[in-house]
């Protein structure tokens, strides 16, 4: 019973070993059926070495055929080698041809199988034929067969490194009979050299098997590396896409705009074509942001972005440059006509109302356009000129399109000259202040003087503040300029009677620097003039960029005891929210309503409404720009108390102020 069990265990162990061996053999023989990429790599490697294998085979077949042609029977000595040679040559030609053509991945396994089949069949036939030659010829010829078969097998092992199953099969089919023949030879030297050769072949096969495994691992890691590289490439593509995209509108961003502009310019230069650069911004966007909040502003921008995207097409590139500013490149534009058409298209897409805050509102935009090559040759020049055209377009009429022209060019040159002169000016000696009286109509009394900046340039003569104040703002010179002017105005005002105040204009840019605000406060406190006699004039536009900050600057000035007037009221947003949030002391009605106040019911109504608004809010109200008696009477009839204008006096130098006050006092009703 126990013998029966032990025999059974023995059989089981043998079966297990046999099954393990079969598994091992199957693994060795397997082709990468489920890994077409590996199969393609193997096939590519095979294509590099197999021709060498066939070359060696052809050479060895030829050499054996030559030496055995006469000693072996015709079938063995001529017919079979000829057939083998023809087949090997055809195979060689096929492989050389295949090397030049890429095999699709899906086909690689099939081709590997075919290569194995033909290689093994041909190799086995050649090996078999060589062994059949052994009985013929002398000892040298036997030696030649021994060496030739061994070398051919070695070559085949090396060349078939990427197709190990073929190498193993050849090793089994040719190597085993070879070993049997030589190891069983009666002559000891033949047996020994046969044993040595078999050992070399065995070791080579071992190495081949290990290398084949390395080859698979290498191929896997190479493909893994390629996959990672592809992934990295995709990530980097996505990164650069995002780096060039404006996330709010989905349009390309500023960086992309300039890259595109450079490219478009070089294309236009090469092709001798023209190109338009347009800058576009939304009218009154700052006010919308301020009144409805930044979230509403962002929402509006994304609506506008979506509509502008519809205009993008062949030769039309649109990007968001920042804020409410958009940049457009029109390639191959046929002069102004294409640009005008584009401006009309923009108007058309913006026609439908947009959601602004909690209501619908119609949005308009202004465009400034510069055309290459007329307006400039480089991206910077074109951009600056389009910006210039936009800036001037905004000043004259909003919602329009302005093409950069020769007139703009002349103006730019004049401005550059002006800027140069202003930069090199000695502010202390060249800037001075003129004073224009503000009078109480009923009392016929001067209540204040507005300080108005003047620049006496040694090079350009007397320059209007309408020119040099914006220039100073643009070139960051406004803060030193304001300090010089305030100091001079305060010094002059110290000489005036107690009841006469000083009105001083502040620029929006004064609020941007903490140092300037603190310098202005120091000047006021150190002037010796009661701060209650100083009134700072600000325009609404000064407040829009950063309302909270401007508000806190004004609060600081009020804390000193100074008063605040809202200048040019009626021209900007004329927002009641500004009036109520700012703690104002005065509103100055802009000159534009006064020009026709006596003849236009609309102007008269506006003036009347603002005057009564001021009465209700207990604010003082000054009507600016009164030039005629007619205007004066109308304003008085509308309830205006304080006026300023050429009718009373033009701005005069500081020395003339005392005489002016005296003249008024002499003419006042109570003086009579
Ligand atoms: P503004 O603050 O509205 O000053 C009133 C302007 O209207 C002055 O022009 C004044 O001469 C002019 N004006 C006064 N009455 C009449 C009139 O009856 N008819 C006409 N046609 N004009 C009249 P000016 O001195 O040329 O100043 C222009 C602008 O330059 C000022 O407008 C102000 O915005 C700016 N500015 C002047 N001085 C300063 C300053 O010291 N600092 C700042 N930031 N801006 C200043
Ligand atoms: Ca003013
Ligand atoms: Ca004004």
């Amino acid at each position: 019973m126990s013998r029966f069990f032990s025999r059974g265990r023995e059989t089981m162990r043998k079966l297990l070993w046999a099954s393990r061996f079969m598994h091992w053999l199957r693994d060795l023989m397997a082709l990468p059926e489920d890994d077409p990429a590996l199969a393609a790599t193997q096939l590519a490697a095979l294509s590099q070495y197999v021709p060498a294998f066939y070359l060696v085979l052809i050479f060895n077949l030829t050499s054996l055929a030559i030496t055995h042609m006469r000693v072996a029977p015709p079938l063995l000595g001529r017919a079979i080698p000829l057939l083998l040679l023809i087949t090997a040559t055809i195979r060689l030609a096929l492989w050389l041809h295949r090397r030049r053509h890429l095999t699709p991945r899906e086909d690689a396994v099939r081709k590997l199988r075919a290569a194995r089949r033909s290689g093994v069949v041909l190799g086995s036939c050649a090996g078999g034929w060589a062994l059949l030659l052994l009985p013929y010829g002398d000892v040298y010829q036997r030696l030649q067969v021994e060496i030739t078969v061994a070398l051919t097998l070695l070559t085949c092992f090396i060349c078939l490194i990427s197709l190990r199953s073929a190498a193993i099969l050849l090793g089994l089919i040719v190597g085993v009979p070879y070993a049997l023949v030589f190891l069983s030879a009666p002559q000891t030297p033949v047996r020994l050299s046969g044993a040595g050769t078999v050992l070399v072949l065995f070791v080579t096969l071992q190495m081949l098997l290990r290398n084949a495994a390395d080859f698979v691992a290498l191929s896997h890691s190479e493909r893994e590396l390629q996959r990672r590289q592809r992934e990295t490439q995709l990530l980097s593509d996505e990164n650069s896409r995002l780096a060039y995209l404006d996330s709010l509108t989905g349009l390309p961003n500023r960086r992309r705009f300039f890259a595109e502009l450079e490219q478009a310019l070089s294309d236009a230069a090469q092709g001798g074509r023209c190109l338009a650069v347009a800058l576009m911004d939304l009218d009154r966007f700052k006010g919308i942001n301020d009144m409805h909040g930044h979230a509403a502003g962002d929402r509006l921008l994304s609506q506008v972005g979506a509509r502008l995207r519809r205009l993008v097409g062949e030769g039309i590139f649109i990007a968001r440059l920042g804020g409410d500013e958009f940049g457009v490149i029109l390639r191959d534009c046929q002069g102004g006509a294409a640009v005008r058409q584009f401006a009309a298209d923009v108007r058309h897409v913006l026609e439908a109302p947009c959601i602004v805050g909690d209501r619908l509102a119609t949005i308009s935009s202004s465009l400034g356009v510069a055309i290459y090559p007329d307006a400039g040759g480089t991206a910077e020049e074109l951009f600056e000129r389009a910006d210039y055209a936009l800036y001037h377009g905004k000043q004259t009429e909003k919602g329009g399109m302005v093409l950069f022209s020769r007139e703009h060019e002349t103006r730019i040159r004049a401005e550059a000259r002006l800027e140069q002169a202003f930069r090199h000016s000695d502010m202390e000696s060249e800037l001075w202040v003129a004073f224009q009286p503000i009078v109480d109509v009923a009392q016929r009394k001067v209540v204040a003087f507005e300080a108005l900046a003047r620049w006496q340039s040694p090079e350009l003569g007397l320059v209007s503040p309408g020119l040099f104040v914006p220039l100073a703002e643009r070139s960051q010179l406004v803060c030193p300029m304001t300090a010089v002017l305030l100091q001079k105005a305060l010094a002059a005002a110290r000489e005036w009677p107690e009841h006469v105040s000083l009105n001083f204009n502040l620029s929006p840019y004064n609020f941007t620097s903490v140092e300037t605000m603190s310098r202005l406060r120091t000047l006021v406190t150190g002037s010796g003039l009661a701060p209650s006699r100083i009134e700072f004039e600000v325009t609404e536009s000064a407040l829009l960029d950063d309302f909270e900050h401007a508000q806190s600057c004004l609060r600081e000035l009020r804390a000193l005891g100074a008063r605040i007037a809202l200048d040019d009221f009626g021209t900007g947003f004329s927002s009641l929210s500004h009036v109520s949030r700012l703690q104002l002391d005065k509103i100055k009605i802009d000159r534009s309503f006064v020009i026709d106040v006596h003849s236009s019911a609309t102007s008269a109504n506006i003036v009347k409404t603002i005057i009564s608004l001021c009465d209700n809010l207990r604010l003082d109200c000054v009507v600016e720009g009164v030039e005629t008696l007619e205007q004066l009477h109308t304003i008085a009839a509308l309830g205006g108390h304080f006026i300023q204008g050429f009718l009373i006096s033009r701005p005069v130098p500081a020395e003339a102020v005392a005489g002016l006050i005296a003249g008024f006092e002499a003419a006042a009703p109570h003086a009579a």
Side-chain angles (χ1 to χ4, degrees):
M1 191 71 170
S2 77
R3 250 185 42 213
F4 173 77
F5 274 119
S6 81
R7 206 178 301 152
R9 258 203 306 275
E10 190 63 18
T11 320
M12 281 296 286
R13 205 167 37 239
K14 280 182 186 155
L15 277 173
L16 207 69
W17 272 108
S19 117
R20 273 192 198 150
F21 177 73
M22 291 308 290
H23 259 100
W24 176 77
L25 205 62
R26 210 180 52 209
D27 282 354
L28 280 182
M29 296 295 160
L31 290 175
E33 309 270 355
D34 49 358
D35 192 347
L38 176 62
T41 319
Q42 282 185 328
L43 189 67
L46 204 63
S47 312
Q48 299 302 312
Y49 300 117
V50 165
F53 164 67
Y54 279 113
L55 262 178
V56 171
L57 189 67
I58 290 168
F59 179 84
N60 290 346
L61 280 172
T62 317
S63 73
L64 282 180
I66 291 170
T67 51
H68 289 78
M69 205 159 30
R70 294 184 207 287
V71 290
L75 179 68
L76 213 55
R78 291 159 199 247
I80 295 181
L82 190 67
L83 197 69
L84 289 172
L85 270 172
I86 291 172
T87 319
T89 312
I90 292 172
R91 293 300 303 163
L92 172 67
L94 277 175
W95 276 102
L96 287 175
H97 171 77
R98 182 175 294 166
R99 228 165 42 169
R100 267 177 271 131
H101 294 88
L102 217 68
T103 309
R105 277 180 173 199
E106 303 68 42
D107 233 15
V109 176
R110 193 180 59 74
K111 289 232 165 104
L112 276 180
R113 194 174 293 117
R116 183 172 67 184
R117 195 173 42 238
S118 51
V120 169
V121 169
L122 191 60
S124 311
C125 293
W129 168 75
L131 292 179
L132 287 176
L133 291 177
L134 279 173
Y136 308 97
D138 56 18
V139 64
Y140 294 111
Q141 279 158 323
R142 275 181 71 91
L143 198 63
Q144 185 199 4
V145 171
E146 184 186 345
I147 295 172
T148 306
V149 173
L151 287 178
T152 314
L153 263 180
L154 259 180
T155 316
C156 128
F157 288 168
I158 294 165
C159 293
L160 295 179
I161 193 166
S162 52
L163 189 59
R164 64 180 179 186
S165 54
I168 293 168
L169 281 172
L170 274 172
L172 289 174
I173 298 171
V174 181
V176 171
Y178 172 89
L180 290 177
V181 167
F182 285 97
L183 293 178
S184 61
Q187 305 89 342
T188 311
V190 175
R191 270 208 313 278
L192 284 177
S193 76
T197 314
V198 168
L199 194 65
V200 169
L201 287 174
F202 183 72
V203 171
T204 315
L205 194 63
Q206 271 289 125
M207 279 165 52
L208 163 84
L209 292 184
R210 190 157 309 140
N211 276 344
D214 289 350
F215 177 85
V216 173
L218 188 72
S219 153
H220 274 305
S221 69
E222 217 170 68
R223 275 180 299 137
E224 179 61 17
L225 196 71
Q226 281 170 1
R227 191 185 61 78
R228 289 218 186 130
Q229 270 172 351
R230 271 198 306 277
E231 258 178 34
T232 317
Q233 187 60 46
L234 279 177
L235 270 177
S236 114
D237 288 353
E238 179 63 6
N239 272 349
S240 52
R241 194 183 72 83
L242 289 177
Y244 285 112
L245 192 78
D246 171 57
S247 53
L248 186 63
T249 57
L251 287 167
N253 62 11
R254 188 181 188 89
R255 196 190 304 179
R256 177 77 212 288
F257 175 80
F258 282 103
E260 182 73 20
L261 182 54
E262 290 291 353
Q263 183 58 51
L265 264 178
S266 109
D267 294 349
Q270 270 172 20
R273 290 185 295 264
C274 65
L275 170 137
V277 176
L279 295 188
M280 183 184 126
D281 76 8
L282 302 182
D283 300 325
R284 303 182 191 283
F285 179 74
K286 282 201 178 91
I288 290 170
N289 239 354
D290 186 43
M291 270 188 265
H292 300 280
H294 285 268
D298 282 357
R299 200 162 158 209
L300 173 65
L301 284 174
S302 101
Q303 292 170 70
V304 171
R307 293 187 191 183
L308 290 179
R309 280 211 305 272
R310 284 191 239 143
L311 299 180
V312 175
E314 182 88 6
I316 301 178
F317 177 88
I318 306 180
R320 179 176 168 231
L321 304 179
D324 63 328
E325 195 180 29
F326 296 86
V328 182
I329 301 167
L330 300 175
R331 285 176 182 251
D332 294 338
C333 69
Q334 304 302 311
V339 176
R340 267 184 282 280
Q341 180 57 50
F342 179 76
D345 292 345
V346 170
R347 249 196 315 278
H348 180 67
V349 293
L350 294 184
E351 229 164 42
C354 293
I355 302 166
V356 177
D358 50 6
R359 56 189 135 104
L360 288 173
T362 313
I363 298 295
S364 65
S365 69
S366 303
L367 273 167
V369 186
I371 294 183
Y372 168 87
D374 298 348
T378 65
E380 292 78 43
E381 272 174 0
L382 289 167
F383 188 83
E384 268 173 24
R385 273 138 209 224
D387 193 33
Y388 190 89
L390 174 64
Y391 175 77
H392 282 272
K394 284 256 175 202
Q395 309 267 300
T396 44
E397 52 155 340
K398 289 189 165 63
M401 189 272 288
V402 176
L403 258 179
F404 185 85
S405 62
R406 264 182 220 291
E407 188 198 318
H408 289 128
E409 186 70 56
T410 321
R411 234 190 283 170
I412 283 188
R413 285 188 206 286
E415 277 170 17
R417 218 172 122 228
L418 198 73
E419 181 170 340
Q420 198 66 5
F422 194 68
R423 272 188 190 284
H424 294 106
S425 68
D426 174 12
M427 290 195 192
E428 205 49 60
S429 65
E430 293 175 29
L431 287 180
W432 58 278
V433 187
F435 295 96
Q436 188 180 33
I438 298 170
V439 298
D440 180 329
V441 183
Q443 307 263 325
R444 296 206 188 165
K445 202 169 109 185
V446 178
V447 291
F449 279 92
E450 178 176 1
L452 294 160
R454 298 291 179 262
W455 174 31
Q456 185 67 46
S457 159
E459 190 188 326
L460 306 165
L462 188 65
V463 184
S464 151
L467 287 177
F468 73 84
V469 171
L471 183 154
E473 289 176 338
R474 278 202 305 276
S475 45
Q476 271 122 45
L477 290 167
V478 73
C479 294
M481 179 194 85
T482 309
V484 170
L485 291 170
L486 181 61
Q487 198 171 20
K488 292 194 174 195
L490 288 168
R494 255 204 321 262
E495 311 297 324
W496 303 342
E498 285 281 314
H499 68 275
V500 180
S501 304
L502 168 71
N503 276 45
F504 189 85
N505 292 289
L506 285 182
S507 147
Y509 292 83
N510 290 137
F511 298 138
T512 54
S513 144
V514 181
E515 290 84 52
T516 313
M517 287 311 292
S518 110
R519 174 112 179 85
L520 297 186
R521 283 201 308 274
T522 316
L523 284 175
V524 169
T525 45
S527 68
L529 192 75
S532 56
R533 286 176 60 197
I534 305 170
E535 192 165 75
F536 288 103
E537 297 189 7
V538 289
T539 54
E540 274 184 301
S541 65
L543 313 169
L544 291 179
D545 268 345
D546 187 347
F547 189 84
E548 303 301 326
H549 176 67
Q551 204 180 17
S552 89
C553 289
L554 294 182
R555 226 179 279 130
E556 283 172 21
L557 294 175
R558 276 189 120 240
L560 291 176
R563 291 155 50 93
I564 307 294
L566 193 58
D567 204 359
D568 302 343
F569 193 73
T571 53
F573 284 94
S574 311
S575 150
L576 283 181
S577 97
H578 290 158
V579 174
S580 64
R581 283 163 71 193
L582 273 176
Q583 290 191 298
L584 298 169
D585 299 286
K586 185 182 276 175
I587 281 179
K588 295 183 82 174
I589 302 178
D590 190 69
R591 197 171 75 222
S592 51
F593 303 106
V594 179
I595 293 168
D596 56 357
V597 71
H598 52 286
S599 56
S600 151
T602 315
S603 292
N605 268 332
I606 291 172
V607 172
K608 189 174 175 211
T609 310
I610 303 176
I611 290 173
S612 47
L613 170 82
C614 290
D615 281 346
N616 288 338
L617 296 173
R618 296 187 194 293
L619 297 178
D620 286 341
C621 178
V622 173
V623 184
E624 292 187 300
V626 180
E627 292 183 355
T628 64
L629 274 172
E630 231 177 340
Q631 290 167 346
L632 173 69
H633 291 143
T634 316
I635 288 158
L638 293 173
H641 298 304
F642 299 103
I643 62 156
Q644 179 182 355
F646 291 171
L647 178 68
I648 308 300
S649 165
R650 285 187 178 256
V652 295
E655 306 77 56
V657 167
L660 224 150
I661 298 175
F664 253 90
E665 276 169 9
H670 53 82

